[in-house]
């Protein structure tokens, strides 16, 4: 490995990690530490085709990351001998300030903390991972890579909301967008598959995982994206509503007396596909729909219709697209969702090849299709490692 980077993605009770080469973007080891702070924590470490599982109690992030260091010592190369150039951290919200990756110091830590109001579920956990890793690897640069950064190029016409000026000027209310490392990587790969430079093509990326967003990428730059101030806006997701009339919130508050915290949780955790079908996981929904479950069928219809509307509007926003790329768990694996999301788009230049779609691509449109449709596996950790290596080289 010529530029090994330890990539850390800290969630509220879990940490995902990968040892990735920042030049080839390939991972040599990956792991997941779950249920941190509970009595039945689990660490799963994968290296060279082998899987090692350790069940233990990791009281906090420090104990979790120490268990990760031990896993590297027991399986393959110890981290101390891996020649690490940096530890890189995924940080969800970079606000208006962080539009590039940055080496973390105390001041950057404070700034990430200051952005927690915009991402209360994510930034505090990301920061906890950074603080712990700085103690554990004091000699290595710690780099923060932001989910919002790729969307810093979205112009005012798409990032400003028509709301009172003090909301925008004093409280940071605007569209930020998320999944930036995925949209950046996949749009670049789409250009590569077309045999063009990213600067020569317009690409629409549909990142469809538990969270989901669509981005319009014009000549390598994000110009619009479906998530907004927070990851709640846009597509219907596993447990998030996506776009709704904001007045629904006031209506439900008046009707039921529910607090804003309750309404926030309802729209983020109890809505979306879970609310429509009883399942948050797409595989279960597709299975139920195939077995004749009407709620699951309607949920899939709504899910795919929302994607179709965004794709159509982004073809208009871009003034024409060269490619549409599907990625993440659902985008990479569900031929049914891709086919239904693209149905009736022939007039807009999308001619799907059903057999190629069923086979999974990478190209799933006919040779005559004006817009090339692709399936591209995302590589967020690879992109984070690559951006980290580029930052340290500069
Ligand atoms: P996250 O946003 O948590 O990273 P993923 O990108 O892993 O999520 O996507 C998870 C979603 O992908 C789940 O809804 C899951 O059901 C769906 N998924 C994974 N594999 C398949 C498959 N083979 N067919 C259909 N859906 C799938």
């Amino acid at each position: 490995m010529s530029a090994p980077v330890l990539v850390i993605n800290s969630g509220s009770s879990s940490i995902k990690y990968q040892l990735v080469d920042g030049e080839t973007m390939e991972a040599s080891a990956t792991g997941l530490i779950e249920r941190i702070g509970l009595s039945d924590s689990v660490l799963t470490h994968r290296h060279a085709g082998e899987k090692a599982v350790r069940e233990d109690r990791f009281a906090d992030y420090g104990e979790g990351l120490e268990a990760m260091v031990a896993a590297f010592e027991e399986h393959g190369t110890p981290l101390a001998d891996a020649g690490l150039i940096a530890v890189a951290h995924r940080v969800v919200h970079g606000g208006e300030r962080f539009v590039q990756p940055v080496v973390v110091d105390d001041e950057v830590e404070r700034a990430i903390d200051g952005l927690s109001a915009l991402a209360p579920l994510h930034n505090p956990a990301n920061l906890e991972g950074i603080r712990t890793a700085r103690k554990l690897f004091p000699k290595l640069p710690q780099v923060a890579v932001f989910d919002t950064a790729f969307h810093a190029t979205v112009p005012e016409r798409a990032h400003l909301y028509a709301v009172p000026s003090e909301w925008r000027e004093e409280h940071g209310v605007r569209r930020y967008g998320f999944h930036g490392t995925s949209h950046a990587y996949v749009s670049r790969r789409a250009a590569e598959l077309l045999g063009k430079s990213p600067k020569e093509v317009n690409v629409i990326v549909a990142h469809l995982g538990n969270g989901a967003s669509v981005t319009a990428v014009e000549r390598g730059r994000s110009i619009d994206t479906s998530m907004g101030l927070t990851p709640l806006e846009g597509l219907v997701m596993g447990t998030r509503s996506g776009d709704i009339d904001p007045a629904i919130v006031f209506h439900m508050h008046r009707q039921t007396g529910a607090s804003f915290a309750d309404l926030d949780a309802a729209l983020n955790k109890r809505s979306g596909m879970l609310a429509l079908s009883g399942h948050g996981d797409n595989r279960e929904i597709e299975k139920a729909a195939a077995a004749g479950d009407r709620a699951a069928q309607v949920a899939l219809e709504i899910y795919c219709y929302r994607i179709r509307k965004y794709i159509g509007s982004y073809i208009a926003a871009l003034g024409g697209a060269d490619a549409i790329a599907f990625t993440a768990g659902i985008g990479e694996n569900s031929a049914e969702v891709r086919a239904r999301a693209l149905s009736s788009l022939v007039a807009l230049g999308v001619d799907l090849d059903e057999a190629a779609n069923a086979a999974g691509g990478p190209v799933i449109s006919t040779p005559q299709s004006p817009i090339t449709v692709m399936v591209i596996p995302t590589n967020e950790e690879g992109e984070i490692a690559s951006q980290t290596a580029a930052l340290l080289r500069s």
Side-chain angles (χ1 to χ4, degrees):
M1 258 197 199
S2 39
V5 177
L6 178 66
V7 179
I8 291 183
N9 182 352
S10 315
S12 56
S13 65
S14 69
I15 300 174
K16 289 187 202 154
Y17 60 85
Q18 285 197 8
L19 179 59
V20 190
D21 187 328
E23 279 171 17
T24 63
M25 299 173 89
E26 274 167 27
S28 58
T30 69
L32 173 63
I33 311 162
E34 292 170 282
R35 305 176 66 76
I36 295 169
L38 300 175
S39 57
D40 54 347
S41 318
V42 190
L43 182 148
T44 311
H45 184 85
R46 289 188 165 82
H47 167 75
E50 307 259 310
K51 174 170 130 177
V53 178
R54 173 174 161 195
E55 292 176 6
D56 207 331
R57 174 167 197 273
F58 309 132
D60 52 27
Y61 282 50
E63 289 187 8
L65 288 184
E66 275 166 22
M68 170 193 74
V69 171
F72 274 100
E73 272 161 18
E74 285 159 30
H75 311 278
T77 314
L79 282 174
D81 303 331
L84 287 180
I85 61 163
V87 181
H89 300 266
R90 174 187 182 208
V91 178
V92 165
H93 218 305
E96 290 199 302
R97 166 167 170 187
F98 295 112
V99 301
Q100 299 286 340
V102 63
V103 175
V104 178
D105 58 18
D106 292 347
E107 195 275 324
V108 168
E109 261 193 23
R110 282 194 297 276
I112 293 172
D113 195 21
L115 291 165
S116 291
L118 291 171
L121 298 177
H122 296 104
N123 273 34
N126 302 154
L127 193 56
E128 186 65 23
I130 291 174
R131 289 191 171 127
T132 310
R134 283 183 83 192
K135 281 192 212 124
L136 202 59
F137 306 100
K139 298 215 175 84
L140 283 174
Q142 308 281 326
V143 174
V145 180
F146 299 88
D147 255 28
T148 46
F150 182 60
H151 303 299
T153 49
V154 172
E156 280 179 337
R157 64 175 184 272
H159 82 234
L160 287 183
Y161 293 111
V163 295
S165 60
E166 67 274 16
W167 294 17
R168 293 179 266 130
E169 286 156 18
E170 290 166 34
H171 302 287
V173 171
R174 54 164 282 179
R175 176 182 313 286
Y176 292 97
F178 299 88
H179 294 138
T181 50
S182 179
H183 290 296
Y185 172 77
V186 172
S187 58
R188 238 181 24 245
R189 281 286 299 142
E192 248 171 66
L193 284 171
L194 288 173
K196 300 260 174 78
S197 140
K199 292 210 168 78
E200 296 173 303
V201 291
N202 291 344
V203 181
I204 296 169
V205 179
H207 175 112
L208 310 177
N210 286 314
S213 64
V214 192
T215 295
V217 184
E218 182 179 62
R219 302 179 185 283
R221 292 155 64 92
S222 169
I223 60 141
D224 205 349
T225 189
S226 60
M227 283 179 167
L229 175 79
T230 76
L232 184 56
E233 192 179 345
L235 301 178
V236 176
M237 306 178 216
T239 64
R240 296 188 194 123
S241 63
D243 297 337
I244 58 167
D245 179 344
I248 292 172
V249 175
F250 318 127
H251 176 72
M252 290 312 297
H253 174 66
R254 283 191 298 262
Q255 291 291 310
T256 67
S259 69
F260 287 113
D262 290 342
L263 294 168
D264 189 334
L267 291 175
N268 274 291
K269 301 197 169 132
R270 294 190 281 113
S271 292
M273 298 301 273
L274 177 65
L276 291 171
S277 73
H279 308 280
D281 188 281
N282 180 64
R283 273 167 298 203
E284 287 171 28
I285 298 163
E286 286 190 13
K287 213 179 339 157
D293 180 329
R294 166 128 176 94
Q297 289 167 352
V298 173
L300 270 177
E301 182 78 37
I302 294 169
Y303 184 83
C304 297
Y305 176 66
R306 183 77 56 88
I307 299 169
R308 185 154 82 235
K309 276 213 299 194
Y310 267 97
I311 288 176
S313 68
Y314 285 175
I315 292 174
L318 289 164
D322 300 285
I324 298 169
F326 286 88
T327 194
I330 300 170
E332 290 166 30
N333 294 298
S334 175
E336 182 178 354
V337 165
R338 294 192 300 259
R340 293 175 68 168
L342 297 176
S343 66
S344 322
L345 291 184
V346 173
L348 296 187
V350 180
D351 188 11
L352 197 68
D353 178 332
E354 274 176 34
N357 183 40
V363 172
I364 60 170
S365 49
T366 64
Q368 307 77 34
S369 180
I371 299 177
T372 306
V373 186
M374 303 166 178
V375 176
I376 299 178
T378 194
N379 185 359
E380 293 173 277
E381 286 79 8
E383 179 68 21
I384 289 171
S386 161
Q387 291 190 16
T388 297
L391 172 73
L392 296 179
R393 270 198 306 271
S394 65

